[in-house]
């Protein structure tokens, strides 16, 4: 059974149609790039999957269930903006995640924080934007979830830390889980991807395995994206 399903999924904001009767299935064990220009519907789809928005029409299913309490227990979500409270220390945040999520692996999180020289005593308000983003990604990837939804996971991270973070994504998720990554930095993430979903204007215009793009089209994902979206 797919871990992530959209059935005629439609979302309107007033007169603006953000998603237009989307149909999509993502199987477990896949790392999928959700790629499109600004305003294409990527973040709307991810917010719908997390129950932060409700569909106007159609439905979205996580492991066969509508977003709710049950699905929050199996979905690990990285929003586009940092949500960590400024007054909290890293240790307090680790305590919070450990209390709130049964699948949180504290030992894994501590190991990654140590690798990036982020002290548990450090407070969020003392950190740079990039360091806050690293902490948030580490927390998200330290859950043993069935589905990871990552909205611009490396957007504000310095290039020196980018490789480590990408390796963290691929090295710290259960192979039977699925990862959906929404990003503009396609060249940086395409090494991770099993398949890509190109979305524009609320429509899916391509859902293709990455190997097929390379072998049959002789292109990188980044090159194909630039070709298909050169007018946007």
């Amino acid at each position: 059974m797919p871990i992530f399903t959209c059935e005629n999924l439609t979302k309107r904001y007033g007169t603006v149609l953000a998603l237009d009767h989307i149909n999509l299935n993502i199987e477990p064990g896949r790392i999928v790039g959700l790629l499109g220009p600004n305003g294409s519907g990527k973040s709307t789809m991810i917010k719908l999957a997390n129950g932060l928005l409700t569909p106007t029409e159609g439905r979205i299913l996580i492991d066969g269930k509508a977003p709710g309490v049950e699905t929050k227990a199996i979905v690990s979500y990285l929003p586009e903006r940092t949500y960590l409270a400024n007054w909290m220390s890293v240790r307090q945040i680790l305590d919070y995640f450990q209390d709130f999520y049964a699948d949180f692996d504290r030992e894994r999180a501590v190991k990654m924080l140590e690798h990036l020289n982020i002290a548990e005593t450090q407070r969020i308000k003392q950190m740079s934007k990039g360091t806050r983003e690293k902490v948030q990604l580490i927390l998200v990837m330290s859950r043993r979830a069935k589905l990871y939804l990552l909205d611009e996971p490396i957007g504000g991270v310095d290039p020196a830390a980018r490789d480590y973070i990408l390796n963290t994504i691929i090295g710290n998720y259960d192979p039977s889980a699925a990862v959906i990554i929404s990003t503009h930095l396609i060249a940086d993430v395409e090494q991770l991807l099993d398949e890509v979903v190109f979305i524009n204007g609320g429509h899916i215009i391509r859902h293709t395995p990455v190997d097929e793009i390379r072998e049959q089209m002789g292109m990188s994902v980044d090159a194909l994206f630039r070709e298909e979206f050169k007018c946007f």
Side-chain angles (χ1 to χ4, degrees), residues 30-33 190 193-198 206-217 219-221 224:
R30 308 292 282 174
I31 301 181
V32 181
E190 72 169 272
L193 304 178
D194 296 307
E195 53 194 79
V196 293
V197 175
F198 284 3
R206 179 181 293 277
H207 180 195
T208 313
V210 168
D211 288 345
E212 187 176 306
I213 294 171
R214 294 183 183 133
E215 293 167 10
Q216 297 183 15
M217 306 180 72
M219 303 175 77
S220 68
V221 174
L224 179 61

Side-chain angles (χ1 to χ4, degrees), residues 93-112:
I93 295 165
L94 291 170
D95 291 342
Y96 173 82
F97 264 68
Q98 192 167 15
D99 289 343
F100 204 77
Y101 298 110
D103 61 2
F104 182 64
D105 186 337
R106 185 170 187 143
E107 185 179 343
R108 176 193 283 181
V110 168
K111 193 176 295 184
M112 288 191 281

Side-chain angles (χ1 to χ4, degrees), residues 103-105 108-109 112 137-144:
D103 61 2
F104 182 64
D105 186 337
R108 176 193 283 181
M112 288 191 281
L137 180 62
I138 285 170
L139 293 166
V140 167
M141 296 311 300
S142 293
R143 287 184 57 196
R144 298 187 179 277

Side-chain angles (χ1 to χ4, degrees), residues 52-119:
L52 300 174
L53 298 171
T54 54
T56 306
E57 297 175 40
R59 62 179 184 164
I60 190 165
L61 302 173
I62 308 298
D63 202 24
K65 304 175 185 69
V69 174
E70 280 186 86
T71 64
K72 287 183 188 301
I74 62 170
V75 173
S76 194
Y77 169 47
L78 180 76
E80 189 175 4
R81 292 186 174 86
T82 307
Y83 62 82
L84 304 174
N86 279 334
W87 59 268
M88 294 181 85
S89 68
V90 172
R91 184 173 292 120
Q92 287 172 313
I93 295 165
L94 291 170
D95 291 342
Y96 173 82
F97 264 68
Q98 192 167 15
D99 289 343
F100 204 77
Y101 298 110
D103 61 2
F104 182 64
D105 186 337
R106 185 170 187 143
E107 185 179 343
R108 176 193 283 181
V110 168
K111 193 176 295 184
M112 288 191 281
L113 289 163
E114 288 175 351
H115 187 96
L116 290 176
N117 297 313
I118 299 171

Side-chain angles (χ1 to χ4, degrees), residues 1 19 98 113 163-164 168 171 179 182:
M1 181 174 69
L19 292 175
Q98 192 167 15
L113 289 163
D163 285 345
Y164 176 75
T168 296
V179 181
S182 168

Side-chain angles (χ1 to χ4, degrees), residues 151-162:
D151 199 352
E152 295 292 345
I154 56 174
V157 174
D158 56 281
R162 199 168 284 166

